[in-house]
Amino acid sequence: MLIAMDDISAIHIAALAPRLTGRYLLPEQPPDLPGRLADKEELAGLCKRLGIPHPAMVIPASAAEAAAAPWELGLPMVAKWSRPWLLTAGSGLRSTTLVHSAADAARLHEQGDAAGSRLLLQRYLPYRPDSDWFFHGYFGDQDRCLVAGTGRKVLSWPLRTGLTALGRWQPNPEVEQAALRLAAHVGYRGILDLDFRWDEASGTFHLLDFNPRLGAQFRLFTDRDGLDVVRAQYLDLTGRPVPRPRSRPGRVFVAENYALLSLLASGGRARPFRTAGPDSSRSAGCPPDGAGPASRRDGTESAWFAADDIAPFLSMAAVWFGRALRKGRNRLRRPGVRTRRRGRAMPVPRAVPDGGSASHPDSASMPR
């Protein structure tokens, strides 16, 4: 069985399926379907046809149209490249950027040739606690959803925009119904991972991304018998029945390294094990989960640590410790760091490129 871990792998596996069949177990679906769903422009059009909420979007045909987009979308805006897998490492472009001015939008549009796909400008949906949700599922033939779950992103890294550092399995009927309707409409078969954000202005959950592959936190949705989307796909593709899931809402997934960074960067303001009370749950459009920290029975799924195999955790810790040492050493060597000589603090002037200015913070979109 061949399982994609990112969008570009899912796209190529589907395109090469006729040559891979016989060597690997693969879900049967149109070879171009993963690419169409991962394409941000096509996904927006699909949501519009199905009536699934999606952030308002402008697709500028020129730099002038990009500069005029704030009149319709406001500032800041979210800038995305429709096919982010075409970005090259040397382009200096990011798949998703938070744009703070009309001039920045125009400059991004001028780099379209380097990006390899069209620039999309979206209305920014403000972040608030409990606003980010995700759906994971496995779909068999005849649009059968065999395993599924919805979860709430409690901590992320980078803050407010990145991958799930800590997530909780929490039922959300609105998110689930939107995901099921979309998957059924396109005849999707296989594992998928969808991202949603609550929009206070419209009072609905908006679909942000359709990832036609495994999400990083898929083990969060492991039932009481150990069934998850990967095991469900294996059973289904080998012709064996997939048992009815025995769900465990309240389970927690934690990526230890990113959760620590998120907590530190939040200055202690984040409350990762806060129970979603009635007020916050109503504001996010779903009933309260009524669950505090996951119990022993519900469990916590760690990304790295396992008592019976600590090698992955130790490897991760060694890599991160080494990276922290290198960054600290480079920071001390960088111009602008205060040095001491003969007991006096000597500030070193910081070099600034001609015409340079402080860049706006970017918000990168990452695999869940």
Side-chain angles (χ1 to χ4, degrees):
M1 188 167 66
L2 190 59
I3 296 179
M5 300 298 292
D6 54 29
D7 290 350
I8 192 169
S9 298
I11 292 167
H12 287 312
I13 289 173
L16 296 172
R19 296 168 58 183
L20 297 172
T21 301
R23 298 186 179 187
Y24 298 96
L25 294 172
L26 300 172
E28 294 182 6
Q29 59 184 346
D32 64 337
L33 183 58
R36 290 193 288 114
L37 295 172
D39 187 310
K40 312 298 184 186
E41 182 179 353
E42 291 210 26
L43 179 63
L46 182 60
C47 288
K48 184 177 181 179
R49 292 192 296 273
L50 292 178
I52 294 175
H54 185 276
M57 177 185 293
V58 169
I59 306 175
S62 65
E65 289 187 10
W71 290 101
E72 179 177 345
L73 303 176
L75 287 173
M77 300 181 294
V78 177
K80 296 182 177 182
W81 300 104
S82 63
R83 299 180 178 181
W85 62 90
L86 298 179
L87 293 172
T88 59
S91 68
L93 298 173
R94 307 180 71 170
S95 61
T96 304
T97 305
L98 197 60
V99 175
H100 292 266
S101 71
D104 286 347
R107 280 192 291 269
L108 268 178
H109 187 276
E110 292 170 351
Q111 300 179 70
D113 290 341
S117 62
R118 301 178 71 177
L119 177 68
L120 314 177
L121 299 174
Q122 288 184 354
R123 183 172 73 88
Y124 174 67
L125 303 182
Y127 170 85
R128 56 175 296 154
D130 306 329
S131 64
D132 288 340
W133 293 72
F134 46 86
F135 172 93
H136 287 217
Y138 171 73
F139 290 79
D141 56 4
Q142 300 178 350
D143 304 330
R144 293 180 304 141
C145 181
L146 301 177
V147 175
T150 59
R152 178 168 57 90
K153 188 182 292 187
V154 182
L155 294 177
S156 61
W157 184 257
L159 286 177
R160 304 182 177 183
T161 59
L163 55 79
T164 302
L166 190 148
R168 181 190 297 276
W169 184 346
Q170 182 174 333
N172 187 321
E174 185 177 341
V175 165
E176 182 175 353
Q177 288 304 313
L180 294 176
R181 186 152 56 97
L182 180 57
H185 178 80
V186 300
Y188 191 85
R189 189 179 183 194
I191 297 171
L192 54 74
D193 168 22
L194 278 62
D195 293 319
F196 292 81
R197 175 168 282 190
W198 170 256
D199 177 33
E200 185 71 19
S202 64
T204 57
F205 287 94
H206 286 234
L207 178 63
L208 301 183
D209 286 304
F210 190 122
N211 304 303
R213 40 80 178 171
L214 190 68
Q217 68 271 39
F218 79 96
R219 284 288 297 170
L220 170 63
F221 302 108
T222 304
D223 81 348
R224 300 181 189 280
D225 299 316
L227 183 68
D228 58 28
V229 291
V230 173
R231 288 181 169 89
Q233 176 168 297
Y234 178 78
L235 292 173
D236 186 42
L237 296 183
T238 55
R240 286 179 276 185
V242 178
R244 184 179 180 84
R246 301 173 62 213
S247 64
R248 288 196 289 175
R251 266 174 61 82
V252 169
F253 168 86
V254 56
E256 300 93 324
N257 47 348
Y258 293 121
L260 178 60
L261 288 174
S262 182
L263 283 171
L264 292 175
S266 69
R269 293 185 300 273
R271 298 170 60 192
F273 294 107
R274 177 180 61 84
T275 299
D279 293 339
S280 62
S281 298
R282 266 201 303 271
S283 67
C286 65
D289 60 358
S295 66
R296 289 178 179 267
R297 183 186 64 185
D298 291 327
T300 297
E301 185 75 32
S302 301
W304 296 101
F305 181 79
D308 58 347
D309 182 10
I310 63 171
F313 179 82
L314 294 177
S315 297
M316 178 275 294
V319 169
W320 276 70
F321 183 69
R323 184 180 300 173
L325 287 178
R326 288 192 298 273
K327 285 187 175 181
R329 181 184 59 198
N330 293 338
R331 184 177 179 83
L332 290 174
R333 293 177 176 178
R334 193 173 60 200
V337 176
R338 295 172 65 89
T339 60
R340 291 189 177 274
R341 177 181 295 178
R342 298 178 183 177
R344 296 179 58 193
M346 304 285 293
V348 180
R350 184 162 60 95
V352 179
D354 293 339
S357 62
S359 60
H360 294 296
D362 290 343
S363 303
S365 176
M366 307 177 71
R368 320 345 126 257

